[in-house]
Amino acid sequence: LVKDKLIDGVSEIRDESDRDGMRVVIELRRDAMSEIVLNKIIPHPIRETFSPISDVWGKEISFQSGTHYHVCAPSGTGKTTLSHILYGLRHDYDGVLLNNGKVAKDWKPDDWSVYRQQTISIIYQDLKLLEEYTALENIQIKNRLTNFFSEKEIVENAEKLGVSYLLNKSCKTISRGERQRISILRALSQPFHFLILDEAFSHLDEGNTKKAIALINDICDKNKASVISCNLFEDAHFNYQQKLKL
């Protein structure tokens, strides 16, 4: 896929497999840039009710990798809808979505699959964890697609969020706040140029929120990646270069 230029921005692929298991490392070029353009997007569910003064709906707006964005979205204005459109889960909208210059509605499922593995990740508001699986298994479902982290690195990241002792527990037995931290770890366990946060810290106290922000900042800095944070209210979680209102 890299040789055929179906995947951009990869600097190296190497096999680090050993007797403990298979590990293929994919490294992104630090100078690789990605762009998402929304050209007069209006979601069908809010076509009659969206605000004409919205900075996003019905406008042309560009998200550039390496720039942090905050989207302030009062309830009912389409916060989660925006997150799902960017991630390719919803296609019920007027207008044009361009991913690196390509029209998203022309993409096949395989195109979206590659894009979600290499370019964009998301922390869902409703978490979307598989409750019958352990916390580690939920993280590995994402991580094994690219072998972005070793299991040792996953454990180290879990220690930074204070949930390493939960990794072998079923997700249905842990608290909402603990599950939210596992969801954050899962989203970070892949290459990405854009990380979408949909109310990503809604069940965390101040201390755990600071730990999560520190880890996200560290990994985003290494990837030269963007945060697109969608919240009900304004916040100062990240060094936002652009603030938008739905």
Side-chain angles (χ1 to χ4, degrees), residues 223-236:
N223 285 346
K224 287 194 171 180
S226 290
V227 165
I228 303 175
S229 182
C230 302
N231 290 325
L232 293 172
F233 308 103
E234 291 189 17
D235 65 59

Side-chain angles (χ1 to χ4, degrees), residues 208-223:
N208 283 316
T209 296
K210 288 181 178 179
K211 292 176 184 178
I213 290 169
L215 182 60
I216 291 170
N217 269 323
D218 180 52
I219 294 175
C220 282
D221 286 347
K222 290 177 181 176
N223 285 346

Side-chain angles (χ1 to χ4, degrees), residues 134-152:
T134 67
L136 179 59
E137 287 170 336
N138 270 276
I139 296 167
Q140 287 285 31
I141 287 172
K142 171 73 74 171
N143 188 69
R144 284 176 178 151
L145 294 173
T146 59
N147 290 298
F148 189 63
F149 288 130
S150 66
E151 187 164 322
K152 179 182 177 182

Side-chain angles (χ1 to χ4, degrees), residues 61-111:
I61 182 171
S62 170
F63 295 101
Q64 304 277 346
S65 60
T67 299
H68 291 342
Y69 301 87
H70 182 267
V71 181
C72 183
S75 181
T77 58
K79 170 180 58 62
T80 296
T81 297
L82 173 63
S83 299
H84 288 184
I85 288 173
L86 294 176
Y87 199 63
L89 298 179
R90 297 192 65 151
H91 308 284
D92 54 338
Y93 56 82
D94 298 326
V96 178
L97 174 67
L98 297 172
N99 294 327
N100 295 327
K102 300 173 183 177
V103 178
K105 281 191 174 180
D106 292 341
W107 280 13
K108 298 177 181 178
D110 285 350
D111 298 320

